[in-house]
Amino acid sequence: RVAWYIMPCNTIQNHIRLYKMDVIAIGQLKGGVGKTATTHALGTTLSERGYKVLMIDTDPQASLTGACGLVGTKPTLSDVLGGAEEGDKTMQEIIKVLSDDLSIAPSDLTLAKTDRGLIQRLRPIDVLKPIIESLTGFDFVLIDSPPSLSQLTLNVLNSAHFVLIPSQPAAADIRGLEMYFETLQEIYKYNPALEVIGILPTFYDGRLNHHTAAVDALISKGYPVLSSRIGRSVKVQEAAGHGKSIIEYDPENKRSEEYQELTEELLSWLKK
């Protein structure tokens, strides 16, 4: 029985209406599935619609931070979380404003040390949650998760209201999905209100039989697959290299159009 059926539908809808600030984790245990690009694109499209958005980079590789042109910036999330001991900065002290409605809490490699230190805390899984709950002034918090089953990943899932799961339609990525849903089953013990928005097929090419077959297989097994599809384009990597999302870098690009469609699907799902 898959995880997203745990809560009754009417309870789910009540939670969606009650949240003043929607906290969405973008996660998968497999790397290279487009988590960072999706976080960045959604942050941009939502902010363009007038929503106040904070993106949080919880990956020690700091790909989202780099994609926003903030490599080497200090302080970062590791200064907030600390490690074995509490951090010496507040989230408000590290947030960088990217535009009128879009901000980021940056990351760096020291988060790897933070991850190792968290296990020594009294409640390792509860370090990030009160920090996010203390935030004000945002409509959305989008969390770019690490591609691993780490203390940081567990903290992200324990802090989120919803989770969006990018995945390539390939065998290795689908195995990562299965492990991710197993992790979600465990997380429900701590965060029973967490809801799966759906699986987002990325690097998708509808002309390839194995891509369509993989998506069909997920649907037939009862996984919640979104109708949006994100294809492959070198422009997405080019955009990150210029410190921009694909939406800003090339708004006429097909991938930009697909992320706009994803945003509409997300807002519809959230009853916005």
Side-chain angles (χ1 to χ4, degrees):
R1 188 179 179 186
V2 284
W4 58 91
Y5 289 139
I6 288 179
M7 292 180 63
C9 291
N10 60 334
T11 306
I12 294 169
Q13 296 303 321
N14 286 338
H15 275 284
I16 291 171
R17 286 195 297 270
L18 286 174
Y19 290 134
K20 293 182 179 179
M21 178 180 73
D22 291 314
V23 182
I24 304 174
I26 292 88
Q28 230 268 44
L29 296 184
K30 176 75 166 53
V33 298
K35 293 188 302 295
T36 297
T38 297
T39 305
H40 201 182
L42 279 177
T44 303
T45 55
L46 288 169
S47 66
E48 287 179 346
R49 285 164 167 76
Y51 294 104
K52 296 287 186 181
V53 182
L54 173 65
M55 303 183 296
I56 302 178
D57 190 350
T58 63
D59 188 348
Q61 297 178 69
S63 298
L64 180 60
T65 300
C68 293
L70 295 174
V71 174
T73 189
K74 298 285 186 180
T76 68
L77 187 61
S78 61
D79 297 294
V80 178
L81 296 177
E85 303 292 336
E86 292 184 5
D88 58 4
K89 299 291 182 183
T90 66
M91 187 70 92
Q92 289 77 9
E93 289 178 293
I94 72 162
I95 289 173
K96 307 298 182 185
V97 176
L98 302 173
S99 66
D100 288 345
D101 293 322
L102 182 62
S103 300
I104 183 174
S107 168
D108 66 0
L109 279 172
T110 58
L111 262 184
K113 183 178 179 181
T114 291
D115 188 77
R116 292 195 300 273
L118 288 177
I119 194 64
Q120 301 179 50
R121 302 279 277 272
L122 183 62
R123 288 269 295 182
I125 200 170
D126 284 330
V127 175
L128 180 61
K129 187 171 185 175
I131 294 170
I132 290 180
E133 289 177 342
S134 72
L135 293 169
T136 59
F138 296 103
D139 301 303
F140 287 96
V141 174
L142 307 179
I143 311 177
D144 188 19
S145 304
S148 61
L149 187 53
S150 62
Q151 288 299 320
L152 288 168
T153 296
L154 297 177
N155 266 269
V156 168
L157 292 175
N158 190 42
S159 303
H161 303 146
F162 311 105
V163 58
L164 175 66
I165 310 171
S167 181
Q168 292 195 50
D173 299 87
I174 290 174
R175 177 55 187 151
L177 277 177
E178 293 170 349
M179 294 176 63
Y180 197 65
F181 276 99
E182 290 170 5
T183 303
L184 290 177
Q185 290 281 15
E186 295 299 316
I187 288 294
Y188 284 131
K189 299 174 184 177
Y190 305 93
N191 185 8
L194 179 65
E195 285 301 317
V196 175
I197 294 171
I199 296 167
L200 172 67
T202 54
F203 301 92
Y204 179 81
D205 188 339
R207 299 169 299 179
L208 300 178
N209 290 336
H210 68 280
H211 279 198
T212 57
V215 171
D216 289 344
L218 288 172
I219 294 172
S220 68
K221 291 179 180 179
Y223 285 96
V225 179
L226 296 175
S227 61
S228 299
R229 305 282 186 271
I230 308 297
R232 185 187 300 273
S233 174
V234 296
K235 288 287 186 178
V236 176
Q237 286 72 40
E238 282 183 21
H242 286 81
K244 297 180 179 180
S245 72
I246 185 62
I247 309 297
E248 303 164 289
Y249 184 71
D250 189 356
E252 303 302 320
N253 187 273
K254 180 62 175 175
R255 304 294 83 82
S256 295
E257 296 174 6
E258 291 165 350
Y259 275 120
Q260 294 287 0
E261 291 169 2
L262 171 64
T263 302
E264 292 297 333
E265 185 172 8
L266 172 66
L267 292 173
S268 176
W269 195 92
L270 292 171
K271 309 294 184 185
K272 293 289 188 180

